[in-house]
Amino acid sequence: MTQETGSGAENQSVARAIAILDLLADSPPLGVREVARQLDIAPSIALRLLKTLSRANYLEQSGENARYTIGYRAFRTGNAFLGQSTIHSAAMPELHRLADQHINGFLGVLRDHAVVYLATVPSSGPIALNHRPGAQTYLHSTALGKAILAEYSDAEVKQLLSETPLPKLTPQTKVHIPKLLVELQEVRRLGYALNEDENRVGVYSAGAVVRNADNKAIGALSGGVPSAGLTDKERARVIKLVVDAALSASRKLGASIAGDFAGAGRSFDRSGASSRNAGRVTEPQPRR
């Protein structure tokens, strides 16, 4: 049974099965009626789909109430995405080096108007930040997201951010697109993005894009540390380590970037039109 006919037809059963996997990926174990209620489908339909996914080991039942959770085959499918990702293999050693410097390391890519985490390497510092692979975060409030957004024109940024109101996660979160566009101009100039208490109170982070052999940004990495008591010198240290990590990962992927800092691959004019400037190197500025 399909929802519509023609070349754009969608199989309703497949769409509902995918919705179940998405729901359980972000939820505690759920029963049949809970799944049916959250997806607004009949319990009989939910039960049939849950049993089919369980037989294929994409779901498992656990606990006394036999609630459903993600199964090992779904885990294997997700890991296949990471295994086939060249940015993941290039960036992982850099994230571990950041962690060795007491900086929580993150790797993300743009998917569905959000940042999707590919990897997190917690540090041994006072705050260990961890996001499981596949989890999503915001573009407007993270250093990862702002580094990625800076690769797009102002018009494209507006399109990426205008579908729903931007949530104000902390008192420091920028939720007005014109103000964010001003900040992105600075990100393009410097080659890295900053975030202090914007996504989570008490966290300072810097982010820079990772480029492929065509010098195209294919994702970003960032590093986060506690913001309380952080000095300008410590901020500059985080920035340098993060942008050096992004540069190293980019070079592993064949990017041709001159200089010592990872933001050297692209610049934008004031209207947001992009231009190549592979020789530009910008020293880190710890504060705006």
Side-chain angles (χ1 to χ4, degrees):
M1 179 178 178
T2 58
Q3 291 178 316
E4 57 186 77
T5 59
S7 59
E10 178 183 87
N11 185 283
Q12 190 177 64
S13 294
V14 173
R16 285 171 169 170
I18 292 172
I20 288 174
L21 291 171
D22 286 341
L23 173 64
L24 291 174
D26 295 321
S27 305
L30 297 177
V32 175
R33 292 191 178 277
E34 293 168 307
V35 170
R37 183 172 62 253
Q38 293 202 40
L39 297 183
D40 194 24
I41 58 178
S44 59
I45 294 175
L47 178 62
R48 185 175 70 247
L49 292 169
L50 288 165
K51 286 187 174 297
T52 299
L53 289 167
S54 296
R55 282 194 294 269
N57 294 309
Y58 280 88
L59 297 180
E60 295 178 355
Q61 287 183 281
S62 61
E64 294 181 359
N65 295 325
R67 294 173 179 268
Y68 290 88
T69 63
I70 290 294
Y72 80 89
R73 288 193 68 184
F75 176 77
R76 186 180 69 178
T77 301
N79 276 344
F81 175 78
L82 293 180
Q84 296 164 9
S85 172
T86 54
I87 186 175
H88 184 269
S89 59
M92 283 306 295
E94 308 305 326
L95 298 185
H96 283 287
R97 290 189 186 97
L98 290 176
D100 290 342
Q101 296 293 322
H102 307 294
I103 299 172
N104 297 277
F106 307 96
L107 177 68
V109 294
L110 174 64
R111 295 290 188 276
D112 295 330
H113 293 208
V115 178
V116 175
Y117 287 108
L118 296 186
T120 302
V121 180
S123 76
S124 58
I127 295 182
L129 305 172
N130 200 357
H131 301 280
R132 56 186 175 77
Q136 290 185 324
T137 191
Y138 296 103
L139 287 166
H140 71 291
S141 61
T142 61
L144 276 177
K146 288 188 279 189
I148 291 171
L149 283 176
E151 293 296 303
Y152 292 87
S153 70
D154 286 358
E156 290 169 326
V157 171
K158 290 177 182 178
Q159 185 175 6
L160 282 167
L161 298 180
S162 62
E163 284 198 350
T164 58
L166 300 178
K168 193 171 183 64
L169 305 171
T170 77
Q172 304 303 319
T173 309
K174 296 180 180 67
V175 295
H176 300 295
I177 292 179
K179 289 185 178 180
L180 188 60
L181 292 176
V182 172
E183 181 179 356
L184 293 179
Q185 289 180 4
E186 187 75 352
V187 174
R188 293 164 187 146
R189 184 181 72 83
L190 296 173
Y192 54 83
L194 300 177
N195 156 33
E196 185 157 8
D197 300 328
E198 295 174 53
N199 194 63
R200 174 176 170 179
V201 173
V203 176
Y204 172 88
S205 61
V209 294
V210 177
R211 302 183 184 280
N212 63 11
D214 297 322
N215 273 20
K216 178 181 178 182
I218 56 174
L221 60 78
S222 69
V225 297
S227 60
L230 203 63
T231 66
D232 283 355
K233 183 177 180 180
E234 290 166 337
R235 286 182 174 86
R237 170 182 171 271
V238 171
I239 294 169
K240 185 179 188 306
L241 289 171
V242 167
V243 293
D244 281 349
L247 175 60
S248 178
S250 298
R251 284 179 170 158
K252 291 176 189 175
L253 295 172
S256 300
I257 303 174
D260 297 328
F261 295 98
R266 187 176 185 182
S267 66
F268 283 70
D269 65 22
R270 295 182 66 84
S271 66
S274 63
S275 62
R276 294 292 180 183
N277 187 14
R280 178 172 60 85
V281 175
T282 306
E283 293 293 331
Q285 304 293 321
R287 285 191 184 273
R288 291 211 150 80

